[in-house]
Amino acid sequence: MTVKKFNLPDVGEGLTEAEIVSWKVKPGDTVAINDVICEIETAKSLVELPSPYAGTVAELLVAEGITVEVGTAIIGISDLAAGETEPTLTPAAPTAAPAVTQQVTQPAAEQLAETLMYGNLPDDAVPADAGPAASPLVGSGPKADAVKRRPRKRPEGAGEAAASVLPAQAPAAATAPAVVEPVVEPTASALPLRTIAEQQPPAANQGAENQAAGFTGLGATVSGLVYRVLAKPPVRKIARDLGIDLADVVPTGARGEVTREDLVSYQAQRDAEVDQADSFWGASKKPQDQRVERIPVKGVRKATAKAMVESAFTAPHVSIFVDVDASRTMEFVKRLKASRDFEGIKVSPLLILSKAVIWAAARNPSVNATWVENADGKGGAEIHVKHFMNLGIAAATPRGLMVPNIKDAQDLSLKELALALNELASTARAGKTQPSAMQGGSLTITNVGALGIDTGTPIINPGEVAIVAFGTIKQKPWVLDGEVIPRWITTLGGSFDHRVVDGDLSARFMADVASILEEPALLLD
């Protein structure tokens, strides 16, 4: 038996070191090729490392929390001895049989309950003689206290029809056939708007957005139901009781749904943060030098700090600002949310701004460029204008600021761009953004409005020459046709590399972006 050592690889361009965040295996575990063995944090993001070998984990050579250089051996994996087979599970076959039955029965029952609840039961799965009880309409089905009612006589063959839908129960339960009663949420017309607001608390500018979009009554309720995160009713109730926004929880369910365990983990993390806040200030009896917390700068934070310093002191920044009447953008967002084509897709004003930036960059190509110093050492340089748009979206994550970008965003339709933005946000929030997604950016948007900020003077992402800050959208008094009326106003801020982008070019670019927010119909030209 030989032990093969796996060296830390370069998972990105120019990676020199990485931190072992967590091990997913321990000595004695059996691994196959491509099984995840650990998570590492690079200067770009959190990355899962797959095993290049199949065998048994012999030893872990680097402890969690340690930063090592590329090429350092981190794990030893031994080959299985000749003739050795994979370890088998105990107990013996007679005991394991019920477990197999449970694995088949329980998911099938849950799936039937969900399909009845959400109305997506396949036609061929509904018995022909099941009658109204099998209707997949939301709000139909037995009430919560149905088990207390007098049992009704079922027509002949109904039991056989049910058996065709549900798998057979374990032999021990054969005398008491299980009846699946799906937990049904209230109908759309009966569900108050306040309940949806509790399920998904809006960001700082979302309340204004919903008010501007005219979300009231049944239409608001239906829209809220469509855009909710996948989770079962009991989980949603727990989230409401705890005041948790399901969109903030990383789902781990088999079908991408938020589970009860996900809520428990999220609440534990939130409680820990509150406890830290309550005990943040150190006891005044201690000397002040003993009340200083020292946090090592590493990983994403270290890379971000280095890049921002280089950008701020290398590229001469110039910033300009413009107030925009975004009322028609809010109306457009409302129509998109109500559109069947965008059903199930999260839509926000950021989508319209992204399209506006792409459109304006085509009219002002120099903002979509890179300043490149010549390697001859004589001080020469080139401006590389990019005829493609890798649109970067700045995302605040628990590990620091990341700027993943959407490749070739100029080729995406409005719907495709919305899907790409949703995927980018969820991946960044889960800490799964890959280094390749943050390379080769063209131009960046930072959505400070999501935090309730009007605007700012952002620092240009290295390798680019422009960045746009998108402020919050608020109702403000606005003069229109000589009258002061309330309108939905936002402020755009832009920073530019003055070596490439002159003042008039930056002004034209920002004016073009503003014109789209004021009249999204211009995107049709």
Side-chain angles (χ1 to χ4, degrees):
M1 180 177 65
T2 60
V3 176
K4 299 179 180 179
K5 293 186 177 181
F6 177 37
N7 298 335
L8 177 66
D10 180 359
V11 295
E13 296 181 3
L15 177 67
T16 59
E17 63 181 16
E19 174 191 350
I20 305 297
V21 176
S22 63
W23 284 105
K24 303 301 182 184
V25 296
K26 61 183 182 297
D29 287 353
T30 300
V31 295
I33 294 176
N34 291 330
D35 282 355
V36 176
I37 57 175
C38 69
E39 286 184 331
I40 64 171
E41 184 176 19
T42 71
K44 297 291 185 180
S45 64
L46 196 68
V47 179
E48 294 180 339
L49 284 187
S51 173
Y53 312 119
T56 303
V57 177
E59 55 182 339
L60 305 180
L61 303 177
V62 180
E64 294 181 353
I66 301 300
T67 300
V68 295
E69 296 181 353
V70 170
T72 303
I74 59 175
I75 187 175
I77 300 176
S78 64
D79 295 333
L80 294 175
E84 184 177 355
T85 60
E86 294 291 338
T88 58
L89 297 177
T90 56
T95 307
V100 173
T101 303
Q102 177 66 19
Q103 290 176 3
V104 174
T105 303
Q106 186 64 20
E110 293 179 359
Q111 182 179 5
L112 177 62
E114 286 189 7
T115 51
L116 288 173
M117 177 177 63
Y118 293 114
N120 57 351
L121 188 66
D123 295 337
D124 57 356
V126 180
D129 57 348
S135 173
L137 295 177
V138 174
S140 63
K143 296 183 178 179
D145 60 347
V147 294
K148 299 179 182 179
R149 296 179 179 178
R150 183 180 61 186
R152 299 180 179 180
K153 296 182 179 181
R154 293 187 298 173
E156 296 182 4
E160 298 176 359
S164 66
V165 178
L166 290 177
Q169 301 296 321
T175 58
V179 178
V180 177
E181 295 187 355
V183 180
V184 181
E185 296 181 313
T187 61
S189 60
L191 188 63
L193 184 60
R194 176 181 58 81
T195 304
I196 297 177
E198 291 173 355
Q199 293 169 348
Q200 291 194 7
N205 66 333
Q206 288 295 316
E209 175 186 335
N210 291 343
Q211 185 176 354
F215 280 178
T216 57
L218 178 59
T221 305
V222 174
S223 178
L225 289 171
V226 169
Y227 298 114
R228 287 187 303 174
V229 179
L230 182 62
K232 296 180 181 178
V235 176
R236 295 188 185 280
K237 183 180 184 305
I238 296 174
R240 287 196 300 269
D241 295 341
L242 296 176
I244 296 177
D245 183 359
L246 289 174
D248 294 335
V249 181
V250 178
T252 62
R255 294 180 293 276
E257 73 274 13
V258 176
T259 65
R260 188 187 304 268
E261 290 72 19
D262 296 335
L263 291 182
V264 172
S265 176
Y266 182 87
Q267 181 64 21
Q269 179 182 358
R270 199 165 64 168
D271 290 343
E273 294 174 353
V274 173
D275 294 341
Q276 292 175 1
D278 294 339
S279 60
F280 175 76
W281 304 114
S284 58
K285 299 178 182 179
K286 293 183 179 180
Q288 289 189 352
D289 60 351
Q290 297 182 14
R291 288 181 278 160
V292 176
E293 181 182 5
R294 292 167 174 81
I295 303 175
V297 178
K298 56 185 179 180
V300 174
R301 176 62 60 189
K302 180 179 179 180
T304 300
K306 182 175 181 294
M308 292 298 99
V309 169
E310 290 180 354
S311 177
F313 290 96
T314 301
H317 283 54
V318 59
S319 299
I320 60 176
F321 310 94
V322 57
D323 291 334
V324 183
D325 180 1
S327 299
R328 293 191 176 180
T329 285
M330 301 301 287
E331 295 172 0
F332 186 36
V333 169
K334 172 188 173 182
R335 291 196 297 271
L336 290 179
K337 288 181 176 180
S339 170
R340 182 178 300 177
D341 291 339
F342 283 79
E343 183 177 355
I345 302 175
K346 182 178 179 180
V347 180
S348 73
L350 179 61
L351 171 62
I352 311 305
L353 177 71
S354 300
K355 267 294 185 181
V357 167
I358 297 171
W359 181 81
R363 293 163 59 92
N364 306 274
S366 292
V367 302
N368 193 47
T370 300
W371 176 277
V372 180
E373 300 283 352
N374 289 338
D376 55 11
K378 297 180 180 179
E382 292 181 341
I383 297 175
H384 294 181
V385 178
K386 303 172 183 177
H387 293 265
F388 57 87
M389 174 63 75
N390 291 345
L391 182 63
I393 305 294
T397 72
R399 293 178 176 83
L401 181 67
M402 297 182 181
V403 189
N405 58 75
I406 301 172
K407 309 297 185 186
D408 284 318
Q410 78 284 348
D411 294 334
L412 302 181
S413 66
L414 197 62
K415 181 178 180 180
E416 292 170 339
L417 185 58
L419 291 171
L421 287 171
N422 291 348
E423 175 66 19
L424 181 147
S426 60
T427 303
R429 188 165 50 238
K432 301 298 183 181
T433 303
Q434 297 300 311
S436 59
M438 291 182 284
Q439 297 168 355
S442 302
L443 194 154
T444 295
I445 296 174
T446 175
N447 187 16
V448 296
L451 303 175
I453 305 301
D454 290 334
T455 192
T457 55
I459 298 177
I460 301 169
N461 198 37
E464 302 171 13
V465 299
I467 182 171
V468 176
F470 188 22
T472 186
I473 302 179
K474 300 178 180 178
Q475 269 200 329
K476 295 182 179 180
W478 191 259
V479 178
L480 186 65
D481 296 331
E483 296 182 4
V484 179
I485 59 176
R487 301 287 286 179
W488 294 98
I489 308 301
T490 187
T491 302
L492 301 179
S495 293
F496 303 89
D497 186 341
H498 217 336
R499 296 174 300 178
V500 179
V501 183
D502 297 331
D504 63 333
L505 176 59
S506 61
R508 290 199 306 269
F509 171 75
M510 293 297 289
D512 283 341
V513 174
S515 67
I516 295 298
L517 292 182
E518 292 177 347
E519 183 48 81
L522 291 175
L523 290 172
L524 299 176
D525 69 352

